[in-house]
Amino acid sequence: HVNQLVDILTPRGQGLAAYATAEPLRTVQATGYRTGILQSSAMGESVYRKLGFSSHGVVPLSVRMPEGATHPH
């Protein structure tokens, strides 16, 4: 499970995101898995397409805040 791959220190285009995504995929593929599900930002989409992922739809993001709840500032 890879969650929230964020890189704020390394300049873009160095391949870090691709490596951090591809290496776990290689590991699970070696154990027999053939299908993966990925949720990506628009910025990360090109990285995943280069790794062989394709889009099969969009999942809208929604957040339900309990009544009376406030967002911390």
Side-chain angles (χ1 to χ4, degrees):
H1 180 85
V2 177
N3 187 10
Q4 300 293 329
L5 179 60
V6 177
D7 177 24
I8 60 172
L9 301 176
T10 304
R12 293 181 48 108
Q14 303 297 308
L16 181 60
Y19 177 81
T21 302
E23 194 57 30
L25 291 174
R26 281 190 279 273
T27 300
V28 298
Q29 187 176 33
T31 64
Y33 286 91
R34 297 291 177 256
T35 302
I37 299 172
L38 173 74
Q39 182 178 345
S40 171
S41 67
M43 185 181 290
E45 185 176 355
S46 65
V47 171
Y48 303 119
R49 286 196 182 276
K50 288 176 187 174
L51 293 173
F53 282 91
S54 57
S55 180
H56 294 280
V58 176
V59 177
L61 176 64
S62 61
V63 177
R64 182 179 174 275
M65 297 292 288
E67 189 173 325
T70 60
H71 184 277
H73 297 281

